[in-house]
Amino acid sequence: MNVGIIGSGGREHAICSSLKKSRKIREIYCFPGNAGTSLIAKNIEIDLTNFEKLKELIQQFNINLIIIGPEKPLVDGLVDFLKKNEINVFGPSKIASQLEGSKIFTKNLCKKYNIPTANFGVFNNIKESLSFLEKCTFPIVVKADGLAAGKGVYICESLEHSVNAVKEIFNGKFGEAKNILIEEFLKGEEMSFFIISDGENYKKFGSAQDHKRVLEGDGGKNTGGMGAYSPSRLENEDLNKKILEKIIEPTLKGLKDLNTEFVGFLYAGLMIIKDEPFLIEYNVRMGDPECQTILPRLKTDFFEVIKACTNKNLKKIKLDWFEEKSICIVLCSKGYPDKYQNNIEIKNLEKIKLGNNSFIYHAGTKLKDSKVYSNGGRVLNFVTRSKKLKESRNDLINLINELNWENGYFRRDIGFKLFEQ
């Protein structure tokens, strides 16, 4: 079969690499892909908002299955469009994608189905928001309602900070904002929890610990993710059972009650407080960089898993995993998550020697005249799978230092809570 992947980040390079191992795949196409995917697939430059052009290219290249990586095409209804045109696609419908597309949609679902989450209020203007904040105890969380590339969440320690957050959101920092979400701050430890579903059945698909804050020790601004490790140190059978019964299953039921089903990856961002899970947010796709730590641990043919989902056959698939843990360090452009420069050449990549269980997944990169240039805030993902994760983290740091990209920076403490145990 020919397979197409929508997206251009580290997640998509990891998906591409995992699919490449399957003997059932003839050719992989990436729309638009990056410098890393160009080495193992055919990159097709395209505007992803142009669904008609995308359909024409899928038909032109005889692509039998499309896998959608990022959130925006899902929220915009690409799955519905492709299905309507009889193209086989893996991902949730436009309605189901509201779990990520609207934080308020998800909060209302939580309220209706008694899914544990933080107490919240929804506001549609600055005046009401500020009036509410004056009565709050801090810290408090302020969220933009729509998609914000992982950055539309403010953890506010003071009234002044929260007022600034509200004004930035309503003044369009993350696009037009009709509503804002203000919720209580839950104090615990975060966990990323994944399932994969074919619309009728689901299976757990690993866990991870993401490090979203820009500074070491989990300080500073939120980013799309500075690194991760898998599985989460919090994971155990009892907690998994609670997550599935209290959060995942009521959510899937809620979608069915809306006459839709969930096909794809569902990522629950959780806060674990005294062994009890609370939902912070949903993503309707694999996380980034969590995907880069989870897929290298999967033994089962990834293509067979995806194909089974599109055929409503997931029940027959057995998911096997390597015993080793994995860790990812993200090399970012200096200035990220604020202003940063693109088009900075990355030299010496071909000289980096990787072990059998180590990987470099490209994220914000592009290929021009056979040279690799930066093309985003998060640029490269250095990943390894190992039984000795702390030593492996040191090895990854050494690889990044060996690359010696002068425009880059990274966190050296990914997994610090795991190593402090």
Side-chain angles (χ1 to χ4, degrees), residues 284-380:
V284 293
R285 33 77 191 187
M286 280 295 269
D288 184 339
E290 293 99 329
C291 177
Q292 293 90 297
T293 64
I294 289 173
L295 285 185
R297 296 184 52 240
L298 181 67
K299 270 187 185 178
T300 309
D301 185 323
F302 185 48
F303 172 68
E304 293 290 0
V305 178
I306 300 293
K307 194 176 75 169
C309 281
T310 61
N311 295 334
K312 298 211 180 304
N313 234 350
L314 183 61
K315 213 171 184 177
K316 293 182 180 175
I317 294 284
K318 184 175 185 293
L319 296 178
D320 288 319
W321 302 88
F322 289 104
E323 286 182 18
E324 298 102 320
K325 299 176 189 289
S326 61
I327 192 165
C328 167
I329 300 175
V330 180
L331 180 62
C332 301
S333 294
K334 280 180 182 170
Y336 174 82
D338 296 314
K339 288 183 180 176
Y340 55 85
Q341 281 185 290
N342 276 334
N343 300 309
I344 309 291
E345 188 180 352
I346 306 164
K347 298 176 182 176
N348 304 320
L349 259 174
E350 70 286 349
K351 293 177 185 172
I352 301 287
K353 293 208 167 28
L354 297 172
N356 286 338
N357 297 326
S358 295
F359 316 88
I360 296 176
Y361 296 127
H362 288 238
T365 66
K366 64 179 180 182
L367 201 62
K368 193 169 128 188
D369 301 326
S370 301
K371 292 178 180 177
V372 177
Y373 293 86
S374 63
N375 190 37
R378 295 184 295 164
V379 180
L380 294 169

Side-chain angles (χ1 to χ4, degrees), residues 114-396:
N114 296 316
I115 296 166
T117 189
N119 293 323
F120 68 99
V122 176
F123 305 91
N124 60 17
N125 61 65
I126 292 178
K127 190 179 175 184
E128 280 183 15
S129 305
L130 300 190
S131 174
F132 177 79
L133 286 170
E134 284 170 4
K135 302 169 198 147
C136 288
T137 52
F138 293 87
I140 200 102
V141 182
V142 179
K143 293 181 177 180
D145 180 39
L147 296 178
K151 294 188 281 290
V153 177
Y154 297 77
I155 297 166
C156 303
E157 302 289 345
S158 66
L159 178 60
E160 184 186 6
H161 186 190
S162 58
V163 167
N164 181 58
V166 167
K167 287 180 177 176
E168 282 191 355
I169 293 169
F170 275 121
N171 289 335
K173 184 170 182 179
F174 307 103
E176 187 187 357
K178 291 179 181 172
N179 292 293
I180 201 168
L181 191 73
I182 300 175
E183 65 180 27
E184 70 172 324
F185 176 78
L186 295 177
K187 196 169 174 57
E189 188 167 341
E190 288 190 48
M191 176 183 184
S192 303
F193 186 92
F194 296 84
I195 64 149
I196 188 169
S197 174
D198 65 3
E200 292 176 1
N201 298 287
Y202 74 84
K203 288 183 185 287
K204 182 177 163 294
F205 203 83
S207 69
Q209 173 76 56
D210 186 14
H211 293 62
K212 284 223 176 281
R213 297 297 194 94
V214 69
L215 301 177
E216 292 184 8
D218 288 340
K221 292 184 177 181
N222 261 351
T223 71
M226 298 296 294
Y229 68 87
S230 176
S232 162
R233 75 187 188 106
L234 303 175
E235 190 179 332
N236 60 63
E237 280 187 29
D238 185 45
L239 181 59
N240 286 349
K241 189 167 181 283
K242 287 177 184 176
I243 293 166
L244 295 173
E245 289 179 358
K246 294 183 177 185
I247 294 173
I248 301 296
E249 288 171 8
T251 300
L252 295 177
K253 182 186 185 307
L255 291 177
K256 285 214 162 149
D257 290 348
L258 289 170
N259 294 317
T260 192
E261 59 184 19
F262 193 94
V263 176
F265 288 113
L266 182 60
Y267 153 16
L270 307 171
M271 187 68 77
I272 310 301
I273 305 170
K274 296 178 181 174
D275 293 324
E276 288 295 329
F278 292 80
L279 182 70
I280 303 172
E281 64 175 358
Y282 272 130
N283 290 169
V284 293
R285 33 77 191 187
M286 280 295 269
D288 184 339
E290 293 99 329
C291 177
Q292 293 90 297
T293 64
I294 289 173
L295 285 185
R297 296 184 52 240
L298 181 67
K299 270 187 185 178
T300 309
D301 185 323
F302 185 48
F303 172 68
E304 293 290 0
V305 178
I306 300 293
K307 194 176 75 169
C309 281
T310 61
N311 295 334
K312 298 211 180 304
N313 234 350
L314 183 61
K315 213 171 184 177
K316 293 182 180 175
I317 294 284
K318 184 175 185 293
L319 296 178
D320 288 319
W321 302 88
F322 289 104
E323 286 182 18
E324 298 102 320
K325 299 176 189 289
S326 61
I327 192 165
C328 167
I329 300 175
V330 180
L331 180 62
C332 301
S333 294
K334 280 180 182 170
Y336 174 82
D338 296 314
K339 288 183 180 176
Y340 55 85
Q341 281 185 290
N342 276 334
N343 300 309
I344 309 291
E345 188 180 352
I346 306 164
K347 298 176 182 176
N348 304 320
L349 259 174
E350 70 286 349
K351 293 177 185 172
I352 301 287
K353 293 208 167 28
L354 297 172
N356 286 338
N357 297 326
S358 295
F359 316 88
I360 296 176
Y361 296 127
H362 288 238
T365 66
K366 64 179 180 182
L367 201 62
K368 193 169 128 188
D369 301 326
S370 301
K371 292 178 180 177
V372 177
Y373 293 86
S374 63
N375 190 37
R378 295 184 295 164
V379 180
L380 294 169
N381 303 168
F382 288 74
V383 181
T384 192
R385 192 182 76 231
S386 160
K387 285 183 177 173
K388 295 181 177 178
L389 219 51
K390 194 170 185 180
E391 290 89 334
S392 295
R393 182 182 69 179
N394 293 337
D395 292 341
L396 293 182

Side-chain angles (χ1 to χ4, degrees), residues 3-21:
V3 176
I5 299 166
I6 307 291
S8 61
R11 166 185 47 231
E12 287 74 39
H13 189 190
I15 288 171
C16 197
S17 298
S18 293
L19 290 172
K20 196 71 180 174
K21 298 173 193 170

Side-chain angles (χ1 to χ4, degrees), residues 52 55 59 79-88:
E52 281 292 338
K55 178 191 79 173
Q59 292 167 341
V79 167
D80 309 61
F81 173 82
L82 293 179
K83 282 187 172 175
K84 191 176 164 187
N85 286 280
E86 298 183 344
I87 292 168
N88 199 18

